[in-house]
Amino acid sequence: MARPEKDIPATAPMEVAELARELRALRRSRGLTYKDLAGKSHYSAAALSTAASGKTVPKWEVVESFVRGCGFTGDLTTWRRLHMNAQARARTEEAAGKAKVRVTEAESGETDGAEERPEVHQPRLPGAIRKHVAAPEDVIPAQPDGLLVLVQQFMDAHMQLDTRLPDEPQRVSSLTVDHVHTALALCTTPQDVLSVMRELVAHKSLTIGDLERRSRPFYPISGATFAHVLNGDELPTTEWLNIFLRACGVDQERTLIWHYTVTRIKIAHLRHRKTPPPLTVTPVEPSISPDYMRRLLILIVSVMSVLGATATAIIQMLG
């Protein structure tokens, strides 16, 4: 009897885990073991198992042989995209790790004794002003653990404390707090919400293909659209978010907090965005030429003269 396959590491980046889950799902759907698959491809069972382990990103040749060995004869564009995304994320994680090591080494070098430092051929700057300068090829380090992971870690630590100190009267228990709801309450930016959405997909052990299949009964959304929104930086529409949550298996009554969070952040964005000043109409003073003023004055004097003569004539007639 074959041993059960080990779970994908929880610390695996989303894109790497996504590729591994898709490979596993394809193999299981064909009812093949890794030994069976090795007989249909050019790689050993151990190499194929490692490719779907989620611990590393396999070469494209291995992925292609894996997929074709499972009997897949369609277009490999989606598989190539999954592989490229996993490779890009792996490079980012590797560059971030190297940058962190260099910073750690630089900081430790400030406190180490001079006798413990390796001999160098160039003079060192004083520790007070020496700082790490990122190499041009450095990639921006990945973001720290998402809100959902941080909430989960807090709750796990709280549960351990509850086990050790069950009768501590000064400690307030909050073990009934919903992790996802707590994470959404902490969201302040669109990136925070999208991070929780990606963590929800990983927590449910779903793939992009699963989301596409699950959305069909409500409204068909392609896997490319799911990937575009989840990896983007803009909040989804209300309709799209509702379909996404239903595809993830979220109960209808539990979707309210999601819509409330998205609406709250959209309103905050509208309130704080910079808008141009309102347009104002500046009254224009009429321009009167000197010639026009002279003619107007003559007309007024003429009218007054006529009125004066008329009034004199009326007085004489009455007299």
Side-chain angles (χ1 to χ4, degrees):
M1 181 178 179
R3 291 179 298 177
E5 193 170 15
K6 294 183 179 180
D7 293 335
I8 297 173
T11 56
M14 177 181 176
E15 292 79 358
V16 179
E18 176 74 8
L19 175 61
R21 281 195 294 267
E22 290 289 353
L23 290 173
R24 292 185 178 195
L26 178 63
R27 180 186 64 82
R28 291 170 180 170
S29 66
R30 298 298 193 270
L32 298 173
T33 65
Y34 284 108
K35 185 177 180 180
D36 297 334
L37 188 57
K40 298 176 179 293
S41 63
H42 304 291
Y43 295 92
S44 65
L48 297 170
S49 176
T50 302
S53 65
K55 297 179 181 179
T56 184
V57 181
K59 295 181 179 180
W60 166 246
E61 292 77 10
V62 179
V63 175
E64 183 179 17
S65 184
F66 190 111
V67 174
R68 294 304 189 193
C70 289
F72 183 83
T73 58
D75 185 18
L76 294 176
T77 301
T78 301
W79 289 101
R80 188 176 291 277
R81 177 182 56 79
L82 289 172
H83 181 257
M84 291 176 62
N85 290 344
Q87 271 191 330
R89 181 58 183 272
R91 293 194 192 102
T92 301
E93 295 290 336
E94 182 180 2
K98 290 180 179 179
K100 185 176 181 180
V101 169
R102 285 196 293 269
V103 172
T104 303
E105 291 176 349
E107 293 176 350
S108 62
E110 296 177 7
T111 56
D112 289 343
E115 66 279 4
E116 297 178 358
R117 295 177 181 173
E119 184 179 357
V120 294
H121 299 287
Q122 297 180 358
R124 291 194 175 191
L125 295 175
I129 62 176
R130 186 172 69 251
K131 61 181 181 179
H132 167 70
V133 179
E137 65 272 11
D138 278 356
V139 181
I140 298 176
Q143 294 183 352
D145 291 337
L147 291 172
L148 187 56
V149 175
L150 295 178
V151 172
Q152 180 67 55
Q153 291 174 352
F154 168 78
M155 299 304 296
D156 291 343
H158 198 86
M159 292 181 66
Q160 294 176 3
L161 183 63
D162 185 63
T163 303
R164 292 197 303 267
L165 303 172
D167 300 325
E168 176 60 46
Q170 300 298 326
R171 188 174 53 79
V172 178
S173 176
S174 59
L175 298 182
T176 59
V177 175
D178 187 293
H179 299 161
V180 177
H181 285 206
T182 303
L184 289 173
L186 296 174
C187 290
T188 58
T189 65
Q191 289 74 20
D192 290 339
V193 177
L194 292 167
S195 175
V196 178
M197 291 171 65
R198 291 191 294 267
E199 292 177 74
L200 176 65
V201 174
H203 178 70
K204 297 280 188 178
S205 298
L206 297 173
T207 65
I208 296 297
D210 293 334
L211 294 177
E212 181 178 359
R213 289 188 292 272
R214 287 176 169 221
S215 68
R216 290 172 185 168
F218 319 118
Y219 187 87
I221 297 179
S222 66
T225 302
F226 276 112
H228 175 75
V229 175
L230 291 174
N231 293 324
D233 55 4
E234 295 184 358
L235 289 171
T237 62
T238 301
E239 295 78 7
W240 195 96
L241 178 61
N242 190 58
I243 296 172
F244 166 79
L245 294 175
R246 296 186 68 178
C248 289
V250 178
D251 296 337
Q252 193 69 27
E253 60 270 16
R254 287 181 171 268
T255 62
L256 181 61
I257 183 64
W258 286 88
H259 292 291
Y260 169 79
T261 302
V262 171
T263 303
R264 170 172 57 83
I265 294 177
K266 286 182 178 179
I267 292 176
H269 176 71
L270 291 174
R271 293 182 61 188
H272 293 89
R273 72 175 182 179
K274 294 181 179 180
T275 56
L279 297 177
T280 57
V281 179
T282 304
V284 179
E285 294 292 337
S287 59
I288 304 176
S289 64
D291 183 64
Y292 176 80
M293 288 294 296
R294 181 175 54 83
R295 286 185 293 176
L296 181 62
L297 181 61
I298 294 174
L299 178 62
I300 293 175
V301 171
S302 301
V303 171
M304 291 180 65
S305 299
V306 172
L307 291 176
T310 303
T312 303
I314 294 173
I315 293 173
Q316 292 177 353
M317 290 176 62
L318 294 175

